[in-house]
Amino acid sequence: MTTDIFIDILKDSLIDAIKALPLLFLAYLVMEAVEHLNSEKMVQTLGNIGKAGPLVGALLGCIPQCGFSASASNLYAAGMITTGTLISVFLSTSDEALPLLLSSQGTSIILPLLVSKVIIGIIFGFALDVLIKKFGTPRKRHNICEHCGCNESDSILKPAIWHTFNILIFILILNIVLGCIIELLGTERISIILLNGSIFQPFAAAFIGLVPNCAVSVLLTKLYLAGSLSFGSLLAGLCSGAGLGLAVLLKSNHSKKENIHIVTILYLISALCGLVVQLIF
């Protein structure tokens, strides 16, 4: 890998981190306000929104950016949104794939792709919330400053800036590492890994989609446009591809068990939905 390629990876990683900055900061600001004000009315309002969370999450998630999935992970870690809402955001998240499709010959699949992702997000988000409410243990609201001590400040601005800075550094380092790995592997080798021409391709694509990097959606879209990936496999990869959301979840949510469950659920839903679409079309 040449110096120029590494500089390009560095630039792309920095751009991805900066794109997520406004929504990340806003999410932390909201969480800090709730923690400091401890307003029962505010908590109740968040709870009421949570009932329609999967619908709102799926609609907002389809906006072509990856900052919202990162913000949703932070809100989930603080106990402010439900698991179903988080999953709906992840499933519908659309980042760099849409601009690439718009600038190429893939414009005809944009609407079916977006509609499919939103519908999948809504259905499985609500289903998950119903199942957890009936059989699971309700999650409690958490203090995001519990382990860092920044809640000693009377201001909500200082801790919000501190948390945003920390998560941005984490995202930047992770994106650089993953970008180098993708560059070293190359598209041909990744196409082989994705089982080109196999009925099991959606499972491989969904697994690749779990890599928490916005460049993965670009890679999957390029492989689809080159004919190496079916539409069902593209759908599977982009549904599991939650952009920066998974990276932020692993960093912010301290329950490893919850994180494993969420990643597993996201993968299974994405792979199975992609397989169904591939078999039908």
Side-chain angles (χ1 to χ4, degrees):
M1 186 168 56
T2 64
T3 305
D4 289 340
I5 292 174
F6 180 75
I7 291 173
D8 287 339
I9 292 171
L10 193 62
K11 286 180 180 177
D12 290 340
S13 300
L14 187 59
I15 289 170
D16 285 343
I18 291 172
K19 282 180 182 178
L21 178 62
L23 284 173
L24 277 173
F25 177 69
L26 182 61
Y28 277 122
L29 205 59
V30 169
M31 287 186 285
E32 289 294 340
V34 173
E35 295 296 345
H36 280 70
L37 297 176
N38 198 23
S39 167
E40 287 298 325
K41 187 175 182 180
M42 187 180 291
V43 174
Q44 186 178 3
T45 300
L46 285 169
N48 290 333
I49 294 174
K51 295 175 183 177
L55 174 62
V56 177
L59 292 175
L60 289 176
C62 72
I63 299 171
Q65 45 75 44
C66 51
F68 190 75
S69 64
S71 299
S73 293
N74 280 323
L75 293 171
Y76 175 80
M80 294 182 183
I81 62 173
T82 64
T83 307
T85 300
L86 180 68
I87 288 291
S88 72
V89 172
F90 282 179
L91 288 168
S92 70
T93 289
S94 303
D95 41 41
E96 307 301 330
L98 294 187
L100 184 57
L101 288 171
L102 283 170
S103 63
S104 64
Q105 302 300 316
T107 52
S108 61
I109 71 158
I110 290 177
L111 187 59
L113 185 65
L114 282 179
V115 171
S116 298
K117 282 165 65 68
V118 170
I119 290 174
I120 291 170
I122 292 172
I123 291 174
F124 286 98
F126 277 117
L128 197 58
D129 275 351
V130 170
L131 289 172
I132 291 175
K133 187 176 181 180
K134 190 170 183 180
F135 301 107
T137 303
R139 297 183 77 246
K140 295 181 179 180
R141 195 162 59 85
H142 303 289
N143 186 345
I144 59 171
C145 300
E146 183 180 356
H147 300 281
C148 65
C150 66
N151 57 347
E152 296 172 2
S153 171
D154 292 330
S155 169
I156 66 171
L157 191 60
K158 184 178 178 181
I161 292 173
W162 171 252
H163 285 295
T164 304
F165 175 76
N166 274 316
I167 204 71
L168 277 178
I169 295 299
F170 176 76
I171 288 170
L172 183 60
I173 294 172
L174 184 65
N175 274 350
I176 292 171
V177 172
L178 291 174
C180 290
I181 292 172
I182 291 171
E183 182 63 35
L184 289 170
L185 284 175
T187 54
E188 289 185 8
R189 191 172 297 175
I190 293 174
S191 179
I192 295 171
I193 294 171
L194 285 170
L195 305 175
N196 188 16
S198 169
I199 193 174
F200 299 108
Q201 192 182 62
F203 291 90
F207 184 76
I208 296 292
L210 290 175
V211 176
N213 188 294
C214 293
V216 171
S217 62
V218 174
L219 174 65
L220 291 170
T221 306
K222 284 183 177 180
L223 289 171
Y224 169 79
L225 293 172
S228 299
L229 212 63
S230 67
F231 177 74
S233 298
L234 176 66
L235 178 65
L238 294 182
C239 278
S240 65
L244 302 176
L246 284 176
V248 176
L249 178 70
L250 297 176
K251 173 72 173 176
S252 302
N253 192 41
H254 299 292
S255 174
K256 293 181 180 179
K257 186 177 179 180
E258 280 185 2
N259 295 340
I260 291 171
H261 286 165
I262 288 169
V263 172
T264 303
I265 290 168
L266 180 65
Y267 171 74
L268 290 175
I269 292 172
S270 303
L272 291 173
C273 287
L275 178 61
V276 169
V277 170
Q278 180 165 293
L279 290 175
I280 293 175
F281 297 103

